[in-house]
Amino acid sequence: MRLVWQLVAVMAVALAGGQAVMAVQGNHWLELVVGVATAVLAVFVYAWVVRRTERRAPVEVELRSAAPGIGLGTLIGIGLFGAVILNIAFLGDYTVNGLGTTSGAIGLVGFMAAASVTEELMFRGVLFRIIEGWTGTWIALTLTSVLFGASHLFNPNATLWGALAIAIEAGGMLTAAYIATRKLWVPIGLHFGWNLAGSAIFSTEVSGNDTPQGLLDATMSGPALITGGDFGPEGSVYSVVFCVLAAAVFMWLAHRRGHLVPLRRSARSGAAATLPR
């Protein structure tokens, strides 16, 4: 039941925050304030419901490691997305025509903050963490990555390939970041930095969501395998390659740190007892 209660609690904040952001759409400063407030509230609600349902301190969201974890993750996320765009531009399929809108970028910061935090709390904080305790690391990683990719099939310009790419690149990389650190801050920062770069900086489509324009006035054209088509660069083969490489590094770190929970029940019980559940 803890999985259900935790999911319901975080989803309630996500839905209420999403409705609030929609209500102030067009006022970009309010979008920023409401989005950031949703993100902060979601973390505190998650911590509260974990304490109530698991009778433990939610060390995966301890505040002292928040700033360095989010900062590092954000830099990595922006860097990875920048590398994708650089490769697409090298082929002539991404062109900057001039400046976009600063105000639009401000609103996108709030929207992406709310989305990245609530999604990480649900998929890595609740689903992966609890399922891992039942099945071990690798099965939980696979299952939750598939669920994460499938959740993007409901987006306006969703494609089956786009959802599969999200499952491989984002589901794998973000989960691996959590496994390596056993904190939610780096995956939150990664998720935020990636989405921030895609929307507020480079003005591309993000997960087929009809994303508004950000800082740059840019156009994308070319084969869908390279650009991601209407789904956005997350459907690009470059995104898959770069994110899989990043996931491999995180999983190597997780192995070095002894953070992998084995499948065998007796071994899993011993390993899982020392990790956030």
Side-chain angles (χ1 to χ4, degrees), residues 36-264:
V36 172
T38 298
V40 172
L41 179 61
V43 171
F44 280 99
V45 167
Y46 171 85
W48 173 80
V49 75
V50 166
R51 286 192 185 95
R52 291 294 301 270
T53 57
E54 299 186 22
R55 307 298 179 188
R56 68 172 179 87
V59 295
E60 63 273 26
V61 288
E62 62 177 1
L63 294 180
R64 65 180 179 180
S65 57
I70 291 175
L72 175 62
T74 300
L75 288 175
I76 295 173
I78 292 174
L80 283 171
F81 196 91
V84 171
I85 290 296
L86 185 63
N87 279 272
I88 295 175
F90 180 76
L91 297 178
D93 294 328
Y94 176 83
T95 305
V96 176
N97 305 310
L99 294 178
T101 62
T102 303
S103 59
I106 290 170
L108 284 166
V109 171
F111 180 83
M112 294 307 173
S116 58
V117 171
T118 55
E119 287 182 10
E120 288 312 300
L121 292 173
M122 285 189 285
F123 283 93
R124 260 57 69 179
V126 179
L127 287 172
F128 172 78
R129 182 176 56 81
I130 292 177
I131 293 173
E132 183 189 36
W134 300 338
T135 66
T137 296
W138 290 105
I139 292 177
L141 187 154
T142 302
L143 289 175
T144 55
S145 294
V146 170
L147 285 173
F148 189 63
S151 70
H152 290 73
L153 284 171
F154 299 98
N155 294 348
N157 297 308
T159 64
L160 186 59
W161 162 247
L164 179 60
I166 288 285
I168 296 170
E169 68 199 24
M173 177 180 65
L174 296 171
T175 306
Y178 170 73
I179 298 167
T181 61
R182 290 295 163 178
K183 297 287 188 294
L184 285 166
W185 302 124
V186 171
I188 283 173
L190 257 175
H191 197 153
F192 175 67
W194 176 274
N195 284 358
L196 182 73
S199 60
I201 299 175
F202 293 107
S203 299
T204 66
E205 186 67 81
V206 177
S207 305
N209 270 314
D210 291 328
T211 311
Q213 188 181 67
L215 289 175
L216 298 176
D217 176 15
T219 54
M220 190 92 74
S221 61
L225 187 64
I226 300 299
T227 65
D230 292 337
F231 191 76
E234 286 163 316
S236 168
V237 66
Y238 286 121
S239 292
V240 175
V241 170
F242 285 124
C243 291
V244 166
L245 289 174
V249 172
F250 281 123
M251 291 305 290
W252 174 78
L253 284 173
H255 175 72
R256 288 286 301 269
R257 294 170 178 176
H259 288 182
L260 301 182
V261 178
L263 177 61
R264 187 162 55 87

